[in-house]
């Protein structure tokens, strides 16, 4: 089973909350699998922080909506300001409801979702 996600780019604007889905976006991509925060979320954060390329994203029209998404990511950018990321997880399939499960800068996302790989566990 695939974990589908959309990645949307939005402009940081005064009065627009990072924990709410914005009405305006400037680009949108689709990821068919591994869209969960421990996969795609870490890839996005790594790309922003370390200029690492991302793979397997499909460019989509701004108006395209999927009925089977499990996650929506917003990448908030404006020249001269730090980049922030918001992650929304679907909480209801019948009512298309979403819950914001993360808001923060890329390093905060890595700190939250990266698996502990040291000898202690």
């Amino acid at each position: 089973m695939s974990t589908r996600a959309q990645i949307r780019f939005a402009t940081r604007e005064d009065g627009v909350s990072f924990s709410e889905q914005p009405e305006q976006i400037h680009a949108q991509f689709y990821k068919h699998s591994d869209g969960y925060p421990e996969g795609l979320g870490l890839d996005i954060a790594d790309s922003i922080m370390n200029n690492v390329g991302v793979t397997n994203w499909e460019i989509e029209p701004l108006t395209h909506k999927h009925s089977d998404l499990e996650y929506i990511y917003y990448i908030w950018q404006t020249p001269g300001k730090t980049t922030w990321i918001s992650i929304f997880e679907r909480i209801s399939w019948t009512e298309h409801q979403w819950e914001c499960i993360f808001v923060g800068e890329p390093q905060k996302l890595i700190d939250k979702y990266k698996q502990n790989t040291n000898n202690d566990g």
Side-chain angles (χ1 to χ4, degrees), residues 58-88:
E58 301 170 24
I59 299 171
E60 293 192 315
L62 295 177
T63 56
H64 193 83
K65 305 290 184 208
H66 290 268
S67 62
D68 60 353
L69 295 175
E70 294 179 56
Y71 294 95
I72 299 175
Y73 293 78
Y74 287 89
I75 300 171
W76 302 86
Q77 296 179 309
T78 293
K81 294 185 179 181
T82 59
T83 298
W84 280 57
I85 303 166
S86 301
I87 304 174
F88 293 83

Side-chain angles (χ1 to χ4, degrees), residues 13-52:
E13 300 178 66
D14 290 337
V16 177
S17 171
F18 294 143
S19 62
E20 296 177 13
Q21 294 187 32
E23 292 183 23
Q24 293 188 13
I25 58 172
H26 305 290
Q28 178 170 270
F29 297 83
Y30 174 72
K31 178 105 165 103
H32 182 75
S33 59
D34 299 331
Y36 45 87
E38 298 85 355
L40 179 58
L42 291 175
D43 289 346
I44 291 170
D46 191 35
S47 178
I48 292 168
M49 292 184 60
N50 301 311
N51 199 27
V52 175

